[in-house]
Amino acid sequence: MLLIHCPYCEEMREEEEFSPAGQAHIERPLQPEDISDEQWAHYLFFRKNPRGLHHEMWLHAAGCRKYFNATRNTATYEIMETYKMGQAPRVTANEEGQS
Amino acid sequence: MQQYSGFGLLKHSLSYHENWQRVWSNPTPKKHYDVVIIGGGGHGLATAYYLAKEHGITNIAVIEKGYLGGGNTARNTTIVRSNYLWDEASHLYEHSLKLWEGLAQELNYNLMFSQRGVLNLGHTLQDMRDIERRVNANRLNGIDGEVLTTAQVQEMVPILDCSTNARYPVMGASWQARAGTARHDAVAWGFARAADALGVDLLQQTEVTGIRRKDGAVEGVETNRGFISAGKVACVAAGNSSVIAKMVGMELPLESHPLQAMVSEPLKPILDTVVMSNHVHGYVSQSDKGDLVIGAGIDGYTGYGQRGSFNVVEHTIAAIIEMFPIFSRVRLNRAWGGIVDTCPDACPIISKTHIKGLYFNCGWGTGGFKATPGAGHVFAHTIAKDEPHPLAKPFSIDRFSSGELIDEHGAAGVAH
Ligand SMILES: Cc1cc2nc3c(=O)[nH]c(=O)nc-3n(C[C@H](O)[C@H](O)[C@H](O)COP(=O)(O)OP(=O)(O)OC[C@H]3O[C@@H](n4cnc5c(N)ncnc54)[C@H](O)[C@@H]3O)c2cc1C
Ligand SMILES: [Zn+2]
């Protein structure tokens, strides 16, 4: 069971209150009609899925019901930080020497 | 290759079973192979076997970072069935089931393949409509299937709570009689032994760390035992497929999730079929050893840790006890996790890539054990001919940009 800090509630809560929502910081193409099918597919379906640091979204489903971001190591499951939507992560793959 | 038989068993008992031939050899890597297969799970080993047997390519290495069959092949709950909804998936899984039916004889290896049937329970009106639709689709595709009433289900599995007092009463089920279970390790070992006998090099404790390319074509793989040159490279790394793809700067439409399972203490025979429920989200069968084999759904986060969260185990057990109150005092022996590579449409990727000589078989997610022989068979064809086997064609990676997804979430779901 993971313990997760919700940056909005500012509290450490149990994993069961949250639901994971996949890779973070995916930007929707501004002009979908101008891009190729391959680029659109990439936006919809293709994911980094790294072994190591991962920036991902979580929903505090049984709490404030807000989405936020987390940086987590997918090999050890250690959560390095959580941060609000619109903010940039402080821990990034290059700094950690990990991919 | 030494033939196994009842007579052989008797003969070797006279020499205290000390003179059995080694099941496979442990070669040193050659400098060059025509085909290098990354991943020595069931799929990788089956691919090697069919490449050697059906396409006459025998200069092959299967490169495995751990031991053969130690990945998801060793961790799954061994359910084999072919009652998927869409034509493309049905044909692929049925192709595999047909191969299973003669495989123990072909490999001369006891796979403990047991066609004990699989029940998929329905608990709501919508479940039952979906079940009817799927069974009809199966029958149109020549796959056996029946819709059972609650009374028929109860007769088949007397210990299942089919009363109207259940929180999610059983309203019926789909039944595939030819489905069942198999011994997971034996499948890997049987294919490994047969591939080895055909001249395939099985390189264990060898990890691929990079893929060398030149002018848009593969040249070989970097490993912890040095560079190995290869004409073609086939990736069959299940949960680690995205890690391999990254070595050539590719992303795949995959997410790797922990998937957990558990077994109980051994019991006397009490359940002679496989019972699955998408609705209450759990499934169970009893192994020949007597333990209940229980499976869960995936953990929602991505993870490579080969373990998941305890709350998933709790939810699964709650579902099993809801269906089988009689199991409430059974003690669990072990729980574990594997890493499954899930695809957005719950269907696999069997595909060439934009890099010449590089192939992927991945995305089987929670349900690829049943496909081990079939996937190996069509993937071998795809590699040997450098064009997709007709059954593999719809599973090309191009489907994500063409939009021709094959949505099997209904028939996959918790049902592995
Ligand atoms: C708990 C659980 C229950 C399941 N239940 C079922 C079920 O009931 N029915 C069903 O049909 N399916 C089930 N599955 C799914 C099934 O196990 C898989 O789809 C299938 O086994 C995949 O086979 P594989 O040979 O591709 O993968 P694996 O057996 O995982 O083989 C991949 C191999 O690649 C190796 N590898 C990875 N990276 C490298 C590298 N860089 N260099 C060298 N080697 C590498 C790994 O060590 C591994 O041995 C279940 C899975 C799990 C985890
Ligand atoms: Zn919150």
Side-chain angles (χ1 to χ4, degrees):
Chain A
M1 170 93 64
L2 305 173
L3 280 178
I4 302 173
H5 182 263
C6 172
Y8 294 101
C9 300
E10 298 186 342
E11 257 185 75
M12 212 62 166
R13 307 292 296 178
E14 288 186 354
E15 179 190 334
E16 276 195 284
E17 288 188 13
F18 301 87
S19 53
Q23 185 179 322
H25 308 300
I26 297 175
E27 278 172 35
R28 191 178 199 279
L30 287 175
Q31 301 284 348
E33 60 278 21
D34 290 347
I35 63 173
S36 68
D37 289 349
E38 282 69 28
Q39 286 167 312
W40 185 245
H42 217 265
Y43 157 71
L44 280 183
F45 300 123
F46 286 64
R47 296 294 176 258
K48 291 198 169 73
N49 194 27
R51 185 183 186 117
L53 286 196
H54 189 222
H55 305 296
E56 59 193 21
M57 291 191 295
W58 286 79
L59 170 66
H60 195 179
C64 61
R65 299 203 53 80
K66 286 189 178 130
Y67 281 90
F68 62 91
N69 296 317
T71 306
R72 190 174 57 92
N73 185 322
T74 60
T76 63
Y77 299 175
E78 187 191 350
I79 299 171
M80 336 296 274
E81 61 175 339
T82 54
Y83 51 100
K84 293 181 181 167
M85 294 313 268
Q87 292 180 340
R90 271 178 298 132
V91 186
T92 55
N94 293 339
E95 270 170 38
E96 287 288 301
Q98 256 171 331
S99 50
Chain B
M1 186 172 82
Q2 190 172 33
Q3 279 291 115
Y4 292 154
S5 67
F7 175 71
L9 204 59
L10 203 68
K11 193 181 94 187
H12 279 276
S13 72
L14 299 175
S15 53
Y16 305 101
H17 294 292
E18 283 173 358
N19 297 321
W20 287 102
Q21 195 184 52
R22 277 188 162 265
V23 185
W24 54 76
S25 49
N26 196 11
T28 37
K30 288 190 232 163
K31 285 208 160 48
H32 174 84
Y33 292 96
D34 296 336
V35 180
V36 157
I37 295 170
I38 307 176
H43 282 224
L45 293 164
T47 306
Y49 169 73
Y50 289 114
L51 270 174
K53 188 190 148 226
E54 303 216 332
H55 303 282
I57 303 174
T58 54
N59 187 24
I60 303 174
V62 178
I63 301 190
E64 167 55 50
K65 68 175 174 182
Y67 55 91
L68 298 179
N72 289 344
T73 301
R75 294 158 194 273
N76 72 84
T77 47
T78 80
I79 296 164
V80 175
R81 59 188 180 90
S82 64
N83 53 358
Y84 283 70
L85 176 64
W86 300 103
D87 294 353
E88 297 84 351
S90 297
H91 293 151
L92 182 62
Y93 289 105
E94 178 64 10
H95 176 59
S96 192
L97 183 52
K98 290 212 172 101
L99 288 173
W100 274 109
E101 285 171 333
L103 201 60
Q105 283 72 20
E106 180 176 339
L107 298 178
N108 179 232
Y109 205 93
N110 184 4
L111 306 177
M112 296 170 73
F113 179 51
S114 158
Q115 292 177 294
R116 58 184 66 184
V118 169
L119 283 168
N120 293 93
L121 304 181
H123 301 267
T124 65
L125 276 177
Q126 188 58 46
D127 274 1
M128 291 314 297
R129 286 188 200 115
D130 292 343
I131 282 172
E132 273 165 38
R133 177 181 178 206
R134 184 163 47 78
V135 169
N136 284 333
N138 292 156
R139 295 173 75 134
L140 288 172
N141 274 321
I143 296 169
D144 65 312
E146 271 176 70
V147 180
L148 302 187
T149 62
T150 313
Q152 287 171 304
V153 174
Q154 184 76 89
E155 200 187 330
M156 210 173 260
V157 190
I159 57 170
L160 179 69
D161 183 1
C162 289
S163 73
T164 46
N165 295 334
R167 184 159 167 210
Y168 303 103
V170 175
M171 298 182 69
S174 75
W175 167 248
Q176 187 181 18
R178 282 164 62 244
T181 57
R183 171 83 202 277
H184 48 352
D185 299 321
V187 178
W189 297 337
F191 273 122
R193 173 169 167 268
D196 176 88
L198 291 170
V200 173
D201 277 4
L202 308 175
L203 308 176
Q204 303 187 64
Q205 306 291 329
T206 310
E207 180 167 3
V208 172
T209 52
I211 297 175
R212 221 187 262 177
R213 282 167 295 158
K214 199 179 170 188
D215 305 329
V218 292
E219 279 194 317
V221 293
E222 311 281 357
T223 76
N224 56 340
R225 297 167 83 178
F227 176 73
I228 298 173
S229 136
K232 293 175 177 179
V233 174
C235 310
V236 204
N240 280 294
S241 298
S242 296
V243 180
I244 306 277
K246 201 179 166 202
M247 295 175 186
V248 291
M250 263 174 83
E251 275 183 17
L252 296 171
L254 295 180
E255 279 189 340
S256 297
H257 289 273
L259 177 65
Q260 305 187 72
M262 59 219 87
V263 290
S264 74
E265 59 192 336
L267 308 171
K268 289 200 172 152
I270 189 163
L271 183 62
D272 63 0
T273 181
V274 182
V275 180
M276 321 185 79
S277 166
N278 280 11
H279 198 85
V280 303
H281 229 74
Y283 62 94
V284 58
S285 66
Q286 187 174 24
S287 76
D288 292 356
K289 216 164 51 178
D291 30 21
L292 300 174
V293 183
I294 296 170
I298 57 169
D299 281 73
Y301 51 79
T302 60
Y304 286 86
Q306 289 188 325
R307 64 197 161 85
S309 293
F310 188 66
N311 49 300
V312 174
V313 174
E314 280 183 318
H315 286 305
T316 305
I317 294 301
I320 297 295
I321 301 303
E322 167 68 26
M323 293 190 282
F324 298 93
I326 194 176
F327 292 157
S328 67
R329 306 234 176 133
V330 173
R331 279 166 299 200
L332 286 184
N333 245 353
R334 291 178 289 124
W336 65 88
I339 317 165
V340 297
D341 42 337
T342 59
C343 241
D345 59 354
C347 271
I349 298 167
I350 308 169
S351 190
K352 295 167 62 166
T353 64
H354 68 279
I355 298 167
K356 201 172 167 337
L358 184 68
Y359 308 83
F360 271 92
N361 169 23
C362 59
W364 290 93
T366 62
F369 174 73
K370 64 178 73 66
T372 305
H377 187 257
V378 299
F379 194 43
H381 176 110
T382 305
I383 298 163
K385 308 251 192 271
D386 196 34
E387 64 183 57
H389 185 282
L391 291 178
K393 205 165 180 207
F395 298 93
S396 150
I397 199 164
D398 298 337
R399 74 177 186 270
F400 295 95
S401 34
S402 69
E404 291 163 289
L405 302 191
I406 307 158
D407 180 5
E408 279 294 351
H409 281 286
V414 76
H416 309 316

